[in-house]
Amino acid sequence: MLSGLDLEYWLVNHPTIRNFSWRPGKTLGSSPHFLFFTILSYLFSTFILPHRIISSSISPQLIKTISAIHNIFLLLLSFIMALGCLLSTFHHAPHLHWIICFPPHTKPTGPLFFWAYIFYLSKILEFADTLLIILTNSVQRLTFLHVYHHSTVVIMCYIWLQTSQTLFPAVLVTNASVHVLMYAYYLSCALGVRPRWKKLVTNVQILQFYSSFVVLGVMLYYHFTGSGCSGVWGWTFNVAFYLSLLLLFLDFHKKSYGASSINKNKLAVKSSKPFFSLQENH
């Protein structure tokens, strides 16, 4: 078992973490060109590649195994990122005000920005979520919400680092914690166990957006009543992004868990069992 001091070393004070520095154009993934081509490649592979040829060449059992490994890895990574960022905040925040509002001209260095960088890279890794949907032929799960979320969240994380954006630690810890729950659900599905708390995952995702707006409001107060906060123009992008995601998730919640949707699903189960299985497939 790791002690508190061991955790502090491996997640906060390890030289690689403590000495991290985001250097535009030098750090891996730090150029606008990398960001552009990464998102373009994701969209191309999602909409252009011949999915049927790819999916038919891999056995369902192998896809299940890949899915389980993918979900275990992201579950553990999400937990480590949340814990690492939380511990880094406690150890490096000079005061509570600093957590809500980075001082102007804050440099993107140190443990907090290391975890922001890992989080940024993890969002690229999460593109594999879409690949797994394609491989299982679950086309109906390839929604606008899914593709929009995966492609745009990478931009948000890039802006965090590029602008030393205020508030990203709170968003990182919250989002990574939600993803622990989400990937635990997906892992259970990949292992053939269908949890009954699917709706909880969506509800928690929606709750994180509501809480984000509350904290963003507090940040604005500090920004306009003090000397300002770092990365405010990046914050404006986040507001638009969070609002769009909130509206899309609320629409998804209504369609998935509304009365008409429940009745439709019951009818689908009675009339077509294979259709139901496809709908519920990870």
Side-chain angles (χ1 to χ4, degrees):
M1 291 290 291
L2 289 175
S3 67
L5 290 176
D6 289 334
L7 280 176
E8 183 181 339
Y9 175 77
W10 288 109
L11 298 180
V12 181
N13 290 323
H14 188 279
T16 301
I17 299 174
R18 189 179 64 248
N19 300 325
F20 172 80
S21 179
W22 170 265
R23 295 179 295 172
K26 295 183 179 180
T27 304
L28 176 65
S30 63
S31 70
H33 296 91
F34 174 89
L35 181 67
F36 174 77
F37 284 112
T38 298
I39 296 173
L40 189 65
S41 299
Y42 169 70
L43 295 175
F44 176 82
S45 61
T46 301
F47 294 112
I48 307 299
L49 288 181
H51 300 154
R52 289 188 178 183
I53 296 175
I54 297 173
S55 59
S56 62
S57 62
I58 304 178
S59 69
Q61 188 56 46
L62 179 57
I63 294 174
K64 274 191 173 183
T65 303
I66 294 172
S67 179
I69 294 172
H70 171 75
N71 290 315
I72 289 173
F73 181 80
L74 283 175
L75 188 160
L76 293 175
L77 180 60
S78 297
F79 177 78
I80 291 170
M81 288 189 296
L83 183 60
C85 188
L86 194 63
L87 290 175
S88 297
T89 300
F90 287 144
H91 284 85
H92 288 271
H95 44 70
L96 183 62
H97 174 277
W98 186 88
I99 298 173
I100 303 296
C101 177
F102 289 169
H105 312 300
T106 296
K107 294 182 179 180
T109 61
L112 276 176
F113 288 95
F114 170 84
W115 290 113
Y117 179 61
I118 298 300
F119 191 77
Y120 166 56
L121 297 180
S122 77
K123 293 307 171 186
I124 299 174
L125 179 62
E126 286 179 12
F127 287 170
D129 291 352
T130 305
L131 177 60
L132 289 170
I133 289 176
I134 293 170
L135 291 177
T136 55
N137 283 317
S138 303
V139 182
Q140 72 287 338
R141 292 182 58 229
L142 205 59
T143 61
F144 174 79
L145 169 58
H146 177 93
V147 177
Y148 172 74
H149 177 224
H150 276 69
S151 57
T152 313
V153 73
V154 180
I155 302 174
M156 179 193 77
C157 297
Y158 179 84
I159 292 175
W160 284 0
L161 291 154
Q162 196 70 10
T163 67
S164 298
Q165 189 182 313
T166 287
L167 272 187
F168 82 75
V171 177
L172 192 160
V173 172
T174 303
N175 187 262
S177 299
V178 171
H179 276 65
V180 170
L181 181 66
M182 184 184 78
Y183 282 109
Y185 173 83
Y186 287 158
L187 176 60
S188 296
C189 294
L191 296 176
V193 180
R194 187 71 54 184
R196 296 184 177 182
W197 36 273
K198 178 182 178 182
K199 184 178 179 180
L200 174 65
V201 177
T202 305
N203 288 341
V204 172
Q205 287 173 316
I206 291 173
L207 182 61
Q208 75 170 318
F209 295 124
Y210 282 125
S211 63
S212 295
F213 284 113
V214 174
V215 182
L216 286 168
V218 176
M219 188 221 77
L220 268 185
Y221 170 78
Y222 282 129
H223 178 70
F224 288 111
T225 58
S227 58
C229 301
S230 177
V232 172
W233 77 264
W235 174 86
T236 59
F237 172 86
N238 277 4
V239 171
F241 181 52
Y242 293 158
L243 181 59
S244 64
L245 281 182
L246 175 60
L247 294 175
L248 287 169
F249 268 99
L250 288 173
D251 181 63
F252 171 80
H253 189 282
K254 181 180 178 181
K255 290 177 179 177
S256 300
Y257 309 113
S260 60
S261 175
I262 293 173
N263 293 333
K264 189 181 295 184
N265 286 337
K266 287 180 178 178
L267 182 62
V269 173
K270 292 179 180 179
S271 62
S272 178
K273 189 68 176 178
F275 174 78
F276 175 75
S277 299
L278 180 62
Q279 286 287 98
E280 290 296 300
N281 198 0
H282 170 50

